[in-house]
């Protein structure tokens, strides 16, 4: 079994200038770095920089490897080999480098030997080049809460300094990043009412260097101005849901609640409705039953079998309780600003949590999901954001599109035995955040393309600081994937997404930690994979596209 070694920080540079009779010639340098290392090899990368004053028309990088080491795969270049000598020429799309610009190509090596005798366009390497930025920013100071609501806490802090420049700040609750900001203030949303939270903040620079965490700041969200309804039976819960008013808290006693539970009364931004209970308050729906309408909507005599259904019910907070033994776990339809915190969903026939029919600006955090897809393995997602384009006729209500945008999935534990993707991001959705989650891929089925932890068909998602692992049994292809389905109306589905700081163990089965399925469809809004992502036990490597520092 391959075991991951520490990523080498040493970088070897080879610099050469192209010859030209003109003082306006392009001048190219090539810098080698090891992106990841494992017991039988490593992933390498060359970054080519044009330090001249005119655009390059092409490039060739050549080097030798010692006996016992060989290039096993490469990307973003054309490779030819003669014995232990390797020659990489530019691909069709990355040969022209503007002054000050860069291009890169990557490769995997079987063996531990490093390149020697590097040349760029025929000129030998001679050392030099810019040193990598390894200095961390200073620690932010003065963190303090500046305001609270029933579901949010606002924070401010003093600026950090850095030898190059601070790019952003991360706000943490424990070890989970709950907000990012480019200024010295942020608001953490999706919190439970009347609950105390402790935060720290840290600074980052463009190279990914991260400061130490600040001194902590503690604050408590406010309590809604409303009544509390205590329930201990299924009938009492159904009555409380039917009569809920803004600002009210419905409090579950421990016990098992069997029945159909639907919330159709909206809360408000200033007075959300809260359903809360301990982990041993368990909602179970033995349905479905009755005659279903053509599209899911509360209908007399019909039970869809959902453990908890929010329908036209925005501004609800769901905290603490458990849903199990239902067709679906929690479904939010046209219920924007839904916050799910500290819940457990397990042993459900299909998906565990579904934000559907434009349930935008919602959050699921600090929750646990296991054992889904018990009846139809390809339909057992952990968290399902939006709807497939083929279902927009039912679930689209914003110009025909299911715009479940800006959904945040934060600090959850998803798996094992989630038979489909732990997180499935559907086409037409945008601008969500998937951060600080832990994925256990055991039991993923491979059916209906369920072969990765996260499948992103939406746009401009930030996928950051997640940890994923895969071990048998299961069918696994890649850690994270994008896909680009066509829709009407059209949108750049699967484009503009960013991966940063994710840790992936592919179990010796998965090919790439991050697999980008199409670059040509995203030329105007490319996906970005940062060098801060790491991978172990991959059969191919970190990603199939050039890595961004």
């Amino acid at each position: 079994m391959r075991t991951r070694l520490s990523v080498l920080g040493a970088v070897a540079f080879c610099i050469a200038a192209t010859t030209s009779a003109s003082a306006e010639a392009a001048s190219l340098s090539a810098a080698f770095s090891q992106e990841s290392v494992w017991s039988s090899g490593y992933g390498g990368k060359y970054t080519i920089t044009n330090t001249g004053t005119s655009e390059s028309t092409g490039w060739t990088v050549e080097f030798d490897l010692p006996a016992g080491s060989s290039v096993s795969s490469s990307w973003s270049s054309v490779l030819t080999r003669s014995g232990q000598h390797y020659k990489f020429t530019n691909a069709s799309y990355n040969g022209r480098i503007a002054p000050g610009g860069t291009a890169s190509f990557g490769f995997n090596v079987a063996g531990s030997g490093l390149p020697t005798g590097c040349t760029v366009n025929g000129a030998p390497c001679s050392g030099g080049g810019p040193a990598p930025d390894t200095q961390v920013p200073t620690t932010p100071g003065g963190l303090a809460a500046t305001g609270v609501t029933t579901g949010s806490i606002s924070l401010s802090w003093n600026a950090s300094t850095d030898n190059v420049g601070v790019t952003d700040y991360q706000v943490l609750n424990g070890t989970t990043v709950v907000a990012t900001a480019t200024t010295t203030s942020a608001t953490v949303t999706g919190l439970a009412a009347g609950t105390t939270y402790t935060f720290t903040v840290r600074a980052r620079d463009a190279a990914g260097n991260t400061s130490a965490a600040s001194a902590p700041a503690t604050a408590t969200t406010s309590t809604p101005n409303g009544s509390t309804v205590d329930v201990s039976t299924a009938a009492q819960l159904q009555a409380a849901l039917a009569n809920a008013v803004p600002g009210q808290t419905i409090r579950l006693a421990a016990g098992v609640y069997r029945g159909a539970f639907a919330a159709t009364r909206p809360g408000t931004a200033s007075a959300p409705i809260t359903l809360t209970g301990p982990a041993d308050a368990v909602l179970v729906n033995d349905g479905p039953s009755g005659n279903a309408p053509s599209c899911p909507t509360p209908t007399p005599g019909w039970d869809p079998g959902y453990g908890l259904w929010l329908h036209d019910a925005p501004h609800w907070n769901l905290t603490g309780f458990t849903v199990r033994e239902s067709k679906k776990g929690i479904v939010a339809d046209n219920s924007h600003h839904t916050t799910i915190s500290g819940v457990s969903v397990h042993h459900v026939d299909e998906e565990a949590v579904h934000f559907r029919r434009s349930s935008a600006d919602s959050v699921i955090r600090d929750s646990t999901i296991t054992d889904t897809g018990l009846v139809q393995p390809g339909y057992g997602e952990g968290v399902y954001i939006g709807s497939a384009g083929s279902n927009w006729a039912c679930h689209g209500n914003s110009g025909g599109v299911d715009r479940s945008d800006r959904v945040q999935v934060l600090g959850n534990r998803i798996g094992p035995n989630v038979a489909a993707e732990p997180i499935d991001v559907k086409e037409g959705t945008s601008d969500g955040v998937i951060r600080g989650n832990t994925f256990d891929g055991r039991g993923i089925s491979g059916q209906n393309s369920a072969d990765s932890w996260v499948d992103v068909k939406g746009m401009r998602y930030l996928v950051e600081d997640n940890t994923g692992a895969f071990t048998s049994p299961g069918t696994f292809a890649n850690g994270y994937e994008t896909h680009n389905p066509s829709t009407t109306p059209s949108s750049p589905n699967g484009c503009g997404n960013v991966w940063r700081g994710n840790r992936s163990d592919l179990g010796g089965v998965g090919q790439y930690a991050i697999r980008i399925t199409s670059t040509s469809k995203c030329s105007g809004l490319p996906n970005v994979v940062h060098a801060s992502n790491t991978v172990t036990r991959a059969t191919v490597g970190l990603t199939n596209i050039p890595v961004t520092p």
Side-chain angles (χ1 to χ4, degrees):
M1 178 179 292
R2 296 186 298 179
T3 57
R4 182 174 182 271
L5 305 178
S6 60
V7 176
L8 299 184
V11 178
F13 291 88
C14 48
I15 298 179
T18 58
T19 59
S20 172
S22 169
E24 298 290 332
S27 180
L28 301 182
S29 67
F32 168 71
S33 61
Q34 283 184 308
E35 300 298 292
S36 57
V37 183
W38 50 90
S39 60
S40 60
Y42 64 87
K45 172 185 174 182
Y46 271 95
T47 300
I48 303 158
T49 302
N50 185 354
T51 59
T53 56
S54 66
E55 184 179 67
S56 71
T57 57
W59 49 261
T60 299
V61 173
E62 300 180 63
F63 59 76
D64 297 309
L65 286 177
S69 296
S70 61
V71 173
S72 57
S73 62
S74 64
W75 52 93
S76 302
S77 63
V78 179
L79 170 63
T80 56
R81 175 185 180 182
S82 176
Q84 293 300 108
H85 185 76
Y86 294 86
K87 180 179 180 180
F88 300 82
T89 58
N90 57 274
S92 61
Y93 56 84
N94 62 357
R96 305 186 72 88
I97 307 175
T102 63
S104 63
F105 68 93
F107 53 92
N108 288 330
V109 172
S112 59
L114 299 177
T116 60
C118 169
T119 64
V120 182
N121 288 357
C125 297
S126 57
D133 177 15
T134 59
Q135 182 171 322
V136 302
T138 61
T139 303
L143 178 64
T146 57
V148 300
T149 69
T150 56
S152 69
I153 295 175
S154 297
L155 302 162
S156 68
W157 55 89
N158 299 328
S160 297
T161 59
D162 184 68
N163 63 317
V164 176
V166 172
T167 56
D168 65 359
Y169 297 88
Q170 296 178 315
V171 179
L172 296 91
N173 175 211
T175 60
T176 301
V177 177
V178 292
T180 60
T182 56
T183 63
T184 56
S185 63
T187 298
V188 183
T189 59
L191 305 179
T195 303
T196 300
Y197 294 89
T198 299
F199 301 103
T200 57
V201 65
R202 63 192 184 192
R204 290 193 301 183
D205 63 19
N209 300 309
T210 304
S211 76
S214 69
T218 299
T220 303
T221 52
S222 56
T223 301
N225 295 321
S227 60
T228 297
V229 178
D230 288 307
V231 300
S232 58
T233 69
Q236 290 173 351
L237 174 56
Q238 290 167 335
L241 295 172
N243 297 294
V245 296
Q248 191 171 68
T249 295
I250 303 170
R251 189 162 55 193
L252 298 161
V256 177
Y257 299 74
R258 291 186 179 274
F261 305 109
T264 59
R265 303 289 294 272
T268 67
S270 60
I273 302 171
T274 298
L275 175 62
T276 185
D280 54 357
V282 182
L283 275 57
V284 175
N285 191 333
D286 296 315
S289 62
N291 295 318
S294 57
C295 291
T297 188
T299 303
W302 175 61
D303 175 8
Y306 306 165
L308 178 63
W309 189 13
L310 305 183
H311 191 281
D312 294 341
H315 296 289
W316 275 69
N317 296 332
L318 313 176
T319 67
F321 55 88
T322 296
V323 177
R324 61 174 169 82
E325 298 173 38
S326 303
K327 181 180 180 182
K328 301 179 188 289
I330 300 172
V331 178
D333 275 336
N334 194 34
S335 298
H336 54 86
H337 291 91
T338 295
T339 296
I340 303 172
S341 177
V343 303
S344 174
V345 183
H346 62 89
H347 289 90
V348 293
D349 294 349
E350 296 178 1
E351 69 266 27
V353 176
H354 196 161
F355 298 101
R356 193 171 66 178
R357 199 164 167 252
S358 299
S359 293
D361 299 293
S362 295
V363 180
I364 176 170
R365 62 185 310 141
D366 305 321
S367 297
T368 302
I369 295 171
T370 68
D371 299 278
T372 66
L374 301 183
V375 174
Q376 295 179 284
Y379 295 84
E381 295 83 357
V383 178
Y384 197 121
I385 301 173
S387 303
S390 58
N391 291 324
W392 287 355
C394 276
H395 302 314
N397 64 352
S398 297
V401 182
D402 183 342
R403 297 303 302 270
S404 293
D405 297 338
R406 299 175 299 281
V407 171
Q408 299 183 66
V409 186
L410 309 174
N412 304 284
R413 298 185 64 86
I414 306 179
N417 302 320
V418 171
E421 300 92 335
I423 302 177
D424 193 3
V425 179
K426 305 308 288 187
E427 55 267 28
T429 66
S430 67
D431 301 296
V433 176
I434 299 170
R435 178 189 292 128
N437 303 284
T438 299
F439 306 120
D440 184 336
R442 286 177 294 167
I444 195 166
S445 69
Q447 297 185 37
N448 197 30
S449 301
D451 54 14
S452 62
W453 300 312
V454 180
D455 189 348
V456 183
K457 294 178 277 289
M459 302 157 284
R460 299 186 301 274
Y461 278 76
L462 173 60
V463 185
E464 181 178 49
D465 295 335
N466 301 286
T467 299
F470 174 78
T471 56
S472 182
T475 301
F476 195 69
N478 302 285
Y480 304 86
E481 296 180 343
T482 67
H483 291 93
N484 313 88
S486 299
T487 56
T488 302
S490 64
S491 59
N493 296 311
C495 301
N497 303 292
V498 176
W499 285 262
R500 186 166 57 198
N502 300 288
R503 298 164 295 279
S504 301
D505 179 352
L506 305 188
V509 175
Q511 295 181 347
Y512 293 101
I514 304 161
R515 169 75 175 176
I516 308 301
T517 58
S518 175
T519 56
S520 61
K521 292 184 178 180
C522 300
S523 58
L525 188 64
N527 288 283
V528 177
V529 177
H530 285 279
S532 57
N533 297 285
T534 60
V535 64
T536 58
R537 298 198 297 169
T539 63
V540 181
L542 177 66
T543 184
N544 63 314
I545 66 171
V547 174
T548 299

